[in-house]
Amino acid sequence: MATVIPDKNDVRVKALQTFAKEFGEDATVCVCAPGRVNLIGEHTDYNEGFVLPMALPMITVIAARPNQSPKCVLITMSDAIGTISRTEFDISNRDALKPGEPKWANYIKGPIANFTCTLPGFDAVIISSVPVGAGLSSSAALEVATYTLLEALSGCRTVKLSDKAAACQRAEHEFAGVPCGIMDQFISVMGQEGHALLLDCRDLSTKLIPMVQNDYVFLITNSNAPHKLSTSQYTERRDACYAAAKKLNLKSLRDATIKDLDVLKAQKADEVLIKRARHVITEIIRTQAAAQALEASDFVKFGHLMNESHDSLQKDYEVSSKELDSLVSAAREIDGVLGSRLTGAGFGGCTVTLVRKGSVDELIKNIKQKYSGTPTFYVATPGPGAREMGINYCKCTDELH
Ligand code: GLA
Protein backbone atom coordinates (compact mmCIF):
# COMPACT_ATOMS: atom_id res chain seq x y z
CA MET A 1 0.00 0.00 0.00
CA ALA A 2 1.13 3.53 -0.70
CA THR A 3 1.79 5.82 2.28
CA VAL A 4 -1.16 8.00 3.21
CA ILE A 5 -0.21 11.64 2.64
CA PRO A 6 -1.08 13.72 5.74
CA ASP A 7 -4.23 15.73 5.16
CA LYS A 8 -3.38 19.40 4.52
CA ASN A 9 -5.83 20.52 7.16
CA ASP A 10 -4.18 18.29 9.77
CA VAL A 11 -0.79 19.86 9.00
CA ARG A 12 -2.36 23.33 9.28
CA VAL A 13 -4.02 22.56 12.60
CA LYS A 14 -0.82 21.04 13.97
CA ALA A 15 1.09 24.22 13.07
CA LEU A 16 -1.57 26.44 14.68
CA GLN A 17 -1.75 24.28 17.83
CA THR A 18 2.03 24.14 18.16
CA PHE A 19 2.16 27.92 17.75
CA ALA A 20 -0.38 28.47 20.53
CA LYS A 21 1.46 26.03 22.80
CA GLU A 22 4.97 27.38 22.20
CA PHE A 23 4.22 31.12 22.04
CA GLY A 24 1.28 31.26 24.45
CA GLU A 25 -1.07 33.03 22.02
CA ASP A 26 -2.76 32.32 18.69
CA ALA A 27 -1.15 32.79 15.30
CA THR A 28 -2.65 35.57 13.18
CA VAL A 29 -1.47 34.27 9.80
CA CYS A 30 -1.13 30.81 8.29
CA VAL A 31 0.32 30.02 4.85
CA CYS A 32 1.50 26.99 2.92
CA ALA A 33 3.46 25.96 -0.17
CA PRO A 34 3.73 22.52 -1.80
CA GLY A 35 6.59 20.23 -2.81
CA ARG A 36 6.65 18.99 -6.40
CA VAL A 37 7.29 16.00 -8.58
CA ASN A 38 8.73 16.52 -12.03
CA LEU A 39 7.09 14.19 -14.56
CA ILE A 40 9.71 14.82 -17.26
CA GLY A 41 12.22 17.52 -18.30
CA GLU A 42 15.19 16.95 -16.00
CA HIS A 43 18.21 19.25 -15.88
CA THR A 44 16.64 21.33 -18.64
CA ASP A 45 15.53 24.35 -16.60
CA TYR A 46 18.98 25.96 -16.28
CA ASN A 47 19.38 25.38 -20.04
CA GLU A 48 16.29 27.47 -20.83
CA GLY A 49 14.42 24.32 -21.84
CA PHE A 50 11.03 22.83 -20.91
CA VAL A 51 9.96 21.10 -17.69
CA LEU A 52 6.70 19.34 -16.80
CA PRO A 53 6.22 19.27 -13.02
CA MET A 54 3.13 19.18 -10.83
CA ALA A 55 2.63 20.48 -7.30
CA LEU A 56 2.09 17.79 -4.66
CA PRO A 57 -0.47 17.55 -1.88
CA MET A 58 2.49 17.47 0.54
CA ILE A 59 2.90 20.98 1.95
CA THR A 60 4.98 23.14 4.25
CA VAL A 61 2.81 25.21 6.58
CA ILE A 62 3.90 28.29 8.53
CA ALA A 63 1.75 29.73 11.33
CA ALA A 64 2.95 33.14 12.48
CA ARG A 65 2.26 36.38 14.35
CA PRO A 66 4.06 39.76 14.39
CA ASN A 67 5.96 40.09 17.71
CA GLN A 68 6.61 43.86 17.98
CA SER A 69 10.37 43.27 17.98
CA PRO A 70 13.10 43.37 15.32
CA LYS A 71 13.47 39.59 15.65
CA CYS A 72 12.27 36.45 13.91
CA VAL A 73 11.73 33.63 16.35
CA LEU A 74 11.34 30.32 14.52
CA ILE A 75 10.28 26.91 15.70
CA THR A 76 10.17 23.81 13.56
CA MET A 77 9.07 20.32 14.40
CA SER A 78 10.67 17.36 12.70
CA ASP A 79 7.77 15.06 11.95
CA ALA A 80 9.64 11.80 12.28
CA ILE A 81 10.61 12.22 15.91
CA GLY A 82 8.52 15.22 16.92
CA THR A 83 11.57 17.12 18.20
CA ILE A 84 11.28 20.87 18.38
CA SER A 85 14.12 23.02 17.11
CA ARG A 86 14.19 26.75 17.83
CA THR A 87 16.26 29.63 16.49
CA GLU A 88 16.08 33.42 16.28
CA PHE A 89 17.78 36.22 14.36
CA ASP A 90 17.53 39.98 13.94
CA ILE A 91 15.90 41.29 10.75
CA SER A 92 16.35 45.04 11.36
CA ASN A 93 19.23 45.05 8.85
CA ARG A 94 18.20 42.47 6.26
CA ASP A 95 21.22 43.19 4.03
CA ALA A 96 23.39 41.83 6.83
CA LEU A 97 21.61 38.45 6.94
CA LYS A 98 24.01 35.60 6.16
CA PRO A 99 23.55 31.84 5.90
CA GLY A 100 24.63 29.94 9.00
CA GLU A 101 23.43 27.38 11.56
CA PRO A 102 20.95 25.82 11.93
CA LYS A 103 20.87 25.01 8.22
CA TRP A 104 17.05 24.82 8.03
CA ALA A 105 16.79 28.49 8.98
CA ASN A 106 18.73 29.46 5.82
CA TYR A 107 15.64 28.63 3.75
CA ILE A 108 13.78 31.29 5.74
CA LYS A 109 16.59 33.85 5.93
CA GLY A 110 17.01 33.67 2.11
CA PRO A 111 13.48 34.82 1.22
CA ILE A 112 13.60 37.46 3.99
CA ALA A 113 16.83 38.87 2.48
CA ASN A 114 15.20 38.83 -0.97
CA PHE A 115 11.93 40.49 0.10
CA THR A 116 11.84 44.17 -0.73
CA CYS A 117 9.00 45.58 1.42
CA THR A 118 9.16 46.61 5.09
CA LEU A 119 8.69 43.68 7.44
CA PRO A 120 7.71 43.34 11.09
CA GLY A 121 9.56 40.92 13.38
CA PHE A 122 7.54 37.75 13.87
CA ASP A 123 7.20 34.45 15.69
CA ALA A 124 6.59 31.40 13.51
CA VAL A 125 6.07 27.66 13.61
CA ILE A 126 6.95 25.57 10.56
CA ILE A 127 5.55 22.10 10.00
CA SER A 128 5.92 20.14 6.78
CA SER A 129 4.59 16.98 5.18
CA VAL A 130 7.12 17.21 2.32
CA PRO A 131 9.80 14.56 2.91
CA VAL A 132 13.19 16.25 3.37
CA GLY A 133 16.10 15.30 1.07
CA ALA A 134 13.89 13.16 -1.16
CA GLY A 135 14.12 15.30 -4.29
CA LEU A 136 10.51 16.49 -3.86
CA SER A 137 11.57 20.11 -3.31
CA SER A 138 11.18 20.49 0.42
CA SER A 139 13.56 23.46 0.23
CA ALA A 140 11.54 25.26 -2.45
CA ALA A 141 8.36 24.59 -0.44
CA LEU A 142 9.92 26.25 2.62
CA GLU A 143 11.26 29.21 0.63
CA VAL A 144 7.95 29.80 -1.14
CA ALA A 145 5.93 29.33 2.07
CA THR A 146 8.21 31.89 3.76
CA TYR A 147 7.80 34.38 0.93
CA THR A 148 4.02 33.90 1.03
CA LEU A 149 4.14 34.56 4.78
CA LEU A 150 6.14 37.77 4.25
CA GLU A 151 3.56 38.94 1.70
CA ALA A 152 0.76 38.29 4.21
CA LEU A 153 2.60 39.95 7.13
CA SER A 154 3.58 43.06 5.15
CA GLY A 155 0.46 43.31 2.98
CA CYS A 156 2.88 43.75 0.07
CA ARG A 157 1.96 41.13 -2.53
CA THR A 158 4.14 40.45 -5.54
CA VAL A 159 2.24 41.40 -8.68
CA LYS A 160 4.06 39.06 -11.07
CA LEU A 161 4.13 35.55 -9.64
CA SER A 162 7.24 34.68 -11.68
CA ASP A 163 9.07 37.45 -9.73
CA LYS A 164 8.12 35.67 -6.52
CA ALA A 165 9.53 32.39 -7.86
CA ALA A 166 12.70 34.17 -9.01
CA ALA A 167 13.20 35.77 -5.56
CA CYS A 168 12.91 32.32 -3.95
CA GLN A 169 15.33 30.87 -6.51
CA ARG A 170 17.85 33.63 -5.58
CA ALA A 171 17.30 32.72 -1.93
CA GLU A 172 18.30 29.12 -2.72
CA HIS A 173 21.41 30.29 -4.65
CA GLU A 174 22.55 32.68 -1.93
CA PHE A 175 21.51 30.96 1.29
CA ALA A 176 21.61 27.24 0.41
CA GLY A 177 24.50 27.51 -2.08
CA VAL A 178 22.66 25.46 -4.73
CA PRO A 179 22.75 27.05 -8.22
CA CYS A 180 19.34 25.57 -9.10
CA GLY A 181 17.10 26.43 -12.03
CA ILE A 182 13.65 28.01 -11.69
CA MET A 183 11.47 24.87 -11.83
CA ASP A 184 10.99 24.00 -8.15
CA GLN A 185 10.15 27.47 -6.88
CA PHE A 186 8.02 28.18 -9.94
CA ILE A 187 5.75 25.15 -9.58
CA SER A 188 5.50 25.68 -5.81
CA VAL A 189 4.15 29.18 -6.54
CA MET A 190 2.09 28.37 -9.66
CA GLY A 191 0.80 24.82 -9.17
CA GLN A 192 -2.90 24.26 -9.93
CA GLU A 193 -5.06 21.53 -8.49
CA GLY A 194 -5.65 18.73 -11.01
CA HIS A 195 -3.00 19.97 -13.46
CA ALA A 196 0.59 19.43 -14.50
CA LEU A 197 2.37 22.55 -15.75
CA LEU A 198 4.46 22.77 -18.90
CA LEU A 199 6.94 25.57 -18.27
CA ASP A 200 9.17 27.14 -20.87
CA CYS A 201 12.16 28.16 -18.75
CA ARG A 202 13.31 30.62 -21.43
CA ASP A 203 10.40 33.07 -21.31
CA LEU A 204 8.53 31.55 -18.32
CA SER A 205 5.39 31.01 -20.39
CA THR A 206 3.22 28.17 -19.12
CA LYS A 207 0.58 25.74 -20.24
CA LEU A 208 -1.63 23.93 -17.75
CA ILE A 209 -2.28 20.31 -18.68
CA PRO A 210 -5.31 18.74 -17.01
CA MET A 211 -4.66 15.36 -15.42
CA VAL A 212 -7.98 13.91 -16.39
CA GLN A 213 -9.56 10.95 -14.63
CA ASN A 214 -8.27 7.83 -16.29
CA ASP A 215 -6.93 4.37 -15.60
CA TYR A 216 -3.38 5.50 -14.79
CA VAL A 217 -1.63 7.13 -11.83
CA PHE A 218 1.86 8.41 -11.12
CA LEU A 219 3.47 6.54 -8.24
CA ILE A 220 6.36 8.24 -6.46
CA THR A 221 8.87 5.88 -4.85
CA ASN A 222 11.29 7.36 -2.35
CA SER A 223 14.52 5.36 -2.34
CA ASN A 224 15.26 6.78 1.12
CA ALA A 225 18.89 6.72 -0.01
CA PRO A 226 20.77 9.87 0.98
CA HIS A 227 21.86 12.32 -1.74
CA LYS A 228 25.60 12.00 -2.25
CA LEU A 229 27.74 15.00 -3.29
CA SER A 230 24.69 16.40 -4.97
CA THR A 231 25.54 20.12 -4.88
CA SER A 232 29.02 19.81 -6.37
CA GLN A 233 27.84 17.29 -8.99
CA TYR A 234 24.86 19.50 -9.85
CA THR A 235 27.16 22.50 -10.35
CA GLU A 236 29.51 20.40 -12.49
CA ARG A 237 26.63 19.31 -14.77
CA ARG A 238 25.39 22.87 -15.12
CA ASP A 239 28.88 24.15 -15.96
CA ALA A 240 29.35 21.42 -18.60
CA CYS A 241 26.11 22.56 -20.28
CA TYR A 242 27.20 26.18 -20.27
CA ALA A 243 30.60 25.17 -21.70
CA ALA A 244 28.91 23.13 -24.48
CA ALA A 245 26.64 26.07 -25.40
CA LYS A 246 29.67 28.38 -25.48
CA LYS A 247 31.55 26.03 -27.81
CA LEU A 248 28.55 26.09 -30.12
CA ASN A 249 28.32 29.86 -29.91
CA LEU A 250 24.79 29.60 -28.55
CA LYS A 251 23.10 31.47 -25.69
CA SER A 252 22.04 28.15 -24.16
CA LEU A 253 21.54 24.49 -25.12
CA ARG A 254 17.88 25.35 -25.74
CA ASP A 255 19.05 26.64 -29.12
CA ALA A 256 21.03 23.49 -29.93
CA THR A 257 19.83 20.66 -32.19
CA ILE A 258 20.90 17.04 -32.51
CA LYS A 259 23.14 18.10 -35.44
CA ASP A 260 25.13 20.27 -33.04
CA LEU A 261 26.41 17.08 -31.42
CA ASP A 262 28.33 16.46 -34.66
CA VAL A 263 29.68 20.00 -34.49
CA LEU A 264 30.97 19.28 -30.96
CA LYS A 265 32.50 16.01 -32.19
CA ALA A 266 34.19 17.81 -35.10
CA GLN A 267 35.59 20.31 -32.59
CA LYS A 268 37.00 17.31 -30.70
CA ALA A 269 35.06 18.38 -27.64
CA ASP A 270 35.42 16.22 -24.55
CA GLU A 271 33.33 13.02 -24.74
CA VAL A 272 31.71 13.82 -21.37
CA LEU A 273 30.67 17.28 -22.57
CA ILE A 274 29.05 15.74 -25.66
CA LYS A 275 27.12 13.27 -23.49
CA ARG A 276 25.85 16.05 -21.21
CA ALA A 277 24.74 18.10 -24.22
CA ARG A 278 23.06 15.04 -25.78
CA HIS A 279 20.96 14.53 -22.65
CA VAL A 280 19.80 18.14 -22.54
CA ILE A 281 19.05 18.44 -26.26
CA THR A 282 17.07 15.17 -26.38
CA GLU A 283 15.33 15.82 -23.03
CA ILE A 284 14.00 19.18 -24.25
CA ILE A 285 12.52 17.43 -27.31
CA ARG A 286 11.10 14.62 -25.12
CA THR A 287 9.45 17.05 -22.72
CA GLN A 288 7.55 18.86 -25.46
CA ALA A 289 6.46 15.53 -26.95
CA ALA A 290 5.43 14.26 -23.49
CA ALA A 291 3.28 17.33 -22.85
CA GLN A 292 1.49 16.71 -26.14
CA ALA A 293 1.04 13.03 -25.28
CA LEU A 294 -0.42 13.89 -21.87
CA GLU A 295 -2.84 16.36 -23.42
CA ALA A 296 -3.94 13.66 -25.85
CA SER A 297 -4.17 11.07 -23.02
CA ASP A 298 -1.59 9.00 -24.94
CA PHE A 299 -0.16 7.33 -21.84
CA VAL A 300 1.74 4.67 -23.75
CA LYS A 301 3.75 7.35 -25.53
CA PHE A 302 4.21 9.30 -22.29
CA GLY A 303 5.56 6.15 -20.61
CA HIS A 304 8.06 5.53 -23.44
CA LEU A 305 9.34 9.06 -23.10
CA MET A 306 9.72 8.64 -19.33
CA ASN A 307 11.81 5.51 -19.91
CA GLU A 308 13.98 7.29 -22.47
CA SER A 309 14.42 10.18 -20.05
CA HIS A 310 15.69 7.89 -17.29
CA ASP A 311 18.05 6.05 -19.64
CA SER A 312 19.48 9.36 -20.81
CA LEU A 313 19.88 10.63 -17.21
CA GLN A 314 21.60 7.36 -16.34
CA LYS A 315 23.95 6.99 -19.30
CA ASP A 316 24.56 10.48 -20.67
CA TYR A 317 23.96 12.78 -17.70
CA GLU A 318 25.19 10.23 -15.14
CA VAL A 319 23.01 11.47 -12.27
CA SER A 320 21.30 8.18 -11.42
CA SER A 321 22.41 5.84 -8.63
CA LYS A 322 22.30 2.11 -8.12
CA GLU A 323 19.29 2.56 -5.83
CA LEU A 324 17.34 4.61 -8.40
CA ASP A 325 18.26 2.19 -11.22
CA SER A 326 17.12 -0.73 -9.13
CA LEU A 327 13.75 0.95 -8.40
CA VAL A 328 13.28 1.74 -12.08
CA SER A 329 14.09 -1.78 -13.27
CA ALA A 330 11.84 -3.39 -10.64
CA ALA A 331 9.03 -1.07 -11.80
CA ARG A 332 9.53 -1.89 -15.46
CA GLU A 333 9.08 -5.61 -14.77
CA ILE A 334 5.38 -5.05 -14.04
CA ASP A 335 2.88 -5.36 -16.89
CA GLY A 336 0.76 -2.35 -16.03
CA VAL A 337 3.79 -0.01 -15.85
CA LEU A 338 4.10 2.27 -18.87
CA GLY A 339 7.23 4.14 -17.79
CA SER A 340 9.51 4.83 -14.86
CA ARG A 341 12.28 7.35 -14.26
CA LEU A 342 14.23 9.17 -11.59
CA THR A 343 12.76 12.56 -10.73
CA GLY A 344 14.52 15.74 -9.56
CA ALA A 345 18.26 16.29 -9.57
CA GLY A 346 19.15 12.60 -9.11
CA PHE A 347 22.01 11.15 -7.01
CA GLY A 348 19.35 9.66 -4.70
CA GLY A 349 15.80 10.72 -3.93
CA CYS A 350 12.73 9.46 -5.78
CA THR A 351 11.49 7.79 -8.93
CA VAL A 352 8.16 8.46 -10.63
CA THR A 353 6.30 5.65 -12.37
CA LEU A 354 3.28 5.76 -14.67
CA VAL A 355 1.21 2.71 -13.79
CA ARG A 356 -2.25 1.35 -14.38
CA LYS A 357 -4.34 1.85 -11.22
CA GLY A 358 -5.08 -1.85 -10.95
CA SER A 359 -1.36 -2.72 -10.95
CA VAL A 360 -0.21 -0.38 -8.15
CA ASP A 361 -0.23 -3.04 -5.42
CA GLU A 362 1.66 -5.54 -7.57
CA LEU A 363 4.18 -2.82 -8.43
CA ILE A 364 4.76 -1.92 -4.79
CA LYS A 365 5.11 -5.60 -3.90
CA ASN A 366 7.70 -6.17 -6.63
CA ILE A 367 9.75 -3.11 -5.66
CA LYS A 368 9.73 -4.17 -2.00
CA GLN A 369 10.98 -7.61 -3.04
CA LYS A 370 13.71 -6.44 -5.41
CA TYR A 371 14.97 -3.27 -3.72
CA SER A 372 17.51 -3.75 -0.96
CA GLY A 373 16.59 -0.53 0.89
CA THR A 374 13.34 0.55 2.56
CA PRO A 375 11.29 2.54 0.05
CA THR A 376 8.18 4.64 0.68
CA PHE A 377 5.42 5.12 -1.87
CA TYR A 378 3.03 7.95 -2.65
CA VAL A 379 0.31 8.20 -5.28
CA ALA A 380 0.82 11.67 -6.73
CA THR A 381 -2.22 13.82 -7.42
CA PRO A 382 -1.68 17.45 -8.44
CA GLY A 383 -2.43 19.99 -5.71
CA PRO A 384 -2.55 23.81 -5.71
CA GLY A 385 0.41 26.20 -5.34
CA ALA A 386 1.29 28.46 -2.39
CA ARG A 387 -1.58 30.15 -0.59
CA GLU A 388 -2.85 31.63 2.63
CA MET A 389 -4.80 29.26 4.87
CA GLY A 390 -7.39 30.05 7.53
CA ILE A 391 -6.35 30.47 11.17
CA ASN A 392 -9.45 29.03 12.76
CA TYR A 393 -9.41 25.56 14.21
CA CYS A 394 -11.26 23.60 16.82
CA LYS A 395 -9.43 23.85 20.14
CA CYS A 396 -11.42 20.99 21.59
CA THR A 397 -8.67 18.35 21.08
CA ASP A 398 -6.24 20.69 22.89
CA GLU A 399 -8.45 20.77 25.94
CA LEU A 400 -8.66 17.00 26.06
CA HIS A 401 -4.89 16.64 26.54
C1 GLA B 1 16.81 20.33 -8.84
C2 GLA B 1 16.86 21.82 -9.15
C3 GLA B 1 15.97 22.16 -10.34
C4 GLA B 1 16.26 21.27 -11.54
C5 GLA B 1 16.29 19.80 -11.12
C6 GLA B 1 16.73 18.88 -12.22
O1 GLA B 1 15.54 19.98 -8.40
O2 GLA B 1 16.46 22.57 -8.03
O3 GLA B 1 16.12 23.53 -10.67
O4 GLA B 1 17.45 21.65 -12.17
O5 GLA B 1 17.15 19.59 -10.00
O6 GLA B 1 15.79 18.88 -13.24
Side-chain angles (χ1 to χ4, degrees):
M1 276 271 290
T3 304
V4 177
I5 297 171
D7 181 77
K8 53 187 182 311
N9 192 48
D10 293 348
V11 188
R12 179 187 76 91
V13 170
K14 192 164 169 197
L16 291 165
Q17 283 177 335
T18 310
F19 188 97
K21 186 164 167 241
E22 295 296 321
F23 291 107
E25 52 189 347
D26 281 333
T28 53
V29 189
C30 190
V31 299
C32 73
R36 63 99 187 93
V37 63
N38 190 21
L39 302 178
I40 195 163
E42 224 61 85
H43 291 277
T44 48
D45 58 353
Y46 50 84
N47 290 297
E48 299 188 317
F50 289 89
V51 291
L52 185 61
M54 67 187 216
L56 289 171
M58 289 94 127
I59 54 172
T60 294
V61 173
I62 311 183
R65 180 183 181 110
N67 61 13
Q68 282 78 46
S69 90
K71 278 185 180 165
C72 278
V73 183
L74 307 175
I75 288 178
T76 186
M77 190 193 273
S78 130
D79 242 5
I81 32 179
T83 8
I84 294 245
S85 163
R86 188 186 176 109
T87 191
E88 58 177 70
F89 50 86
D90 199 299
I91 58 163
S92 46
N93 179 8
R94 274 148 47 195
D95 289 343
L97 276 179
K98 294 276 170 298
E101 294 293 335
K103 291 229 164 26
W104 61 266
N106 294 333
Y107 299 96
I108 294 141
K109 286 181 185 167
I112 293 177
N114 278 282
F115 193 75
T116 45
C117 303
T118 312
L119 273 179
F122 60 90
D123 299 335
V125 165
I126 302 140
I127 298 212
S128 185
S129 58
V130 188
V132 175
L136 299 179
S137 289
S138 59
S139 40
L142 182 49
E143 288 150 0
V144 173
T146 302
Y147 206 91
T148 308
L149 172 70
L150 306 182
E151 290 177 317
L153 286 171
S154 64
C156 183
R157 286 176 175 81
T158 319
V159 181
K160 242 172 104 192
L161 288 181
S162 55
D163 290 347
K164 176 171 171 178
C168 293
Q169 180 194 19
R170 277 198 304 280
E172 174 96 19
H173 290 185
E174 295 162 4
F175 282 76
V178 182
C180 63
I182 189 76
M183 168 170 69
D184 305 345
Q185 291 78 11
F186 198 93
I187 186 67
S188 186
V189 171
M190 302 287 278
Q192 294 276 331
E193 184 129 39
H195 293 79
L197 186 79
L198 178 69
L199 167 65
D200 179 340
C201 299
R202 166 160 277 177
D203 61 10
L204 299 187
S205 59
T206 56
K207 184 170 195 190
L208 282 170
I209 305 193
M211 306 276 279
V212 282
Q213 277 301 319
N214 57 69
D215 289 344
Y216 293 92
V217 287
F218 287 100
L219 183 82
I220 298 171
T221 305
N222 187 352
S223 66
N224 288 314
H227 287 234
K228 288 175 214 126
L229 290 174
S230 54
T231 305
S232 57
Q233 302 240 41
Y234 185 92
T235 312
E236 207 180 286
R237 298 302 185 281
R238 192 203 56 173
D239 291 349
C241 294
Y242 292 175
K246 195 161 174 222
K247 274 185 175 296
L248 293 167
N249 247 323
L250 298 172
K251 180 164 171 275
S252 70
L253 285 181
R254 165 68 178 274
D255 294 319
T257 65
I258 304 277
K259 284 194 183 127
D260 285 315
L261 296 172
D262 293 331
V263 177
L264 287 173
K265 278 179 204 152
Q267 289 176 353
K268 303 216 173 333
D270 188 73
E271 185 54 36
V272 171
L273 201 86
I274 298 174
K275 287 193 335 180
R276 304 297 188 249
R278 186 163 58 207
H279 166 72
V280 173
I281 295 168
T282 55
E283 184 79 352
I284 291 173
I285 298 170
R286 276 189 290 274
T287 307
Q288 290 166 279
Q292 277 176 13
L294 194 60
E295 269 192 298
S297 298
D298 186 347
F299 297 106
V300 172
K301 172 120 191 250
F302 196 93
H304 277 307
L305 292 162
M306 288 176 79
N307 285 338
E308 281 177 22
S309 168
H310 181 82
D311 298 346
S312 172
L313 287 161
Q314 180 198 44
K315 297 195 181 81
D316 278 348
Y317 222 60
E318 296 177 284
V319 293
S320 191
S321 63
K322 67 175 192 335
E323 291 87 357
L324 293 170
D325 290 342
S326 135
L327 292 175
V328 163
S329 45
R332 289 181 186 171
E333 284 169 10
I334 300 302
D335 260 355
V337 167
L338 297 182
S340 185
R341 59 182 289 279
L342 73 84
T343 182
F347 317 108
C350 292
T351 61
V352 59
T353 302
L354 179 58
V355 54
R356 193 184 301 124
K357 276 180 188 156
S359 305
V360 171
D361 289 345
E362 193 193 347
L363 167 61
I364 291 180
K365 193 167 155 223
N366 196 48
I367 291 180
K368 280 186 174 164
Q369 257 169 25
K370 304 277 164 68
Y371 181 60
S372 57
T374 315
T376 30
F377 304 92
Y378 308 95
V379 172
T381 47
R387 59 206 183 271
E388 281 183 43
M389 300 178 106
I391 50 165
N392 296 325
Y393 65 100
C394 169
K395 299 187 181 154
C396 33
T397 49
D398 254 5
E399 283 153 20
L400 289 176
H401 293 294

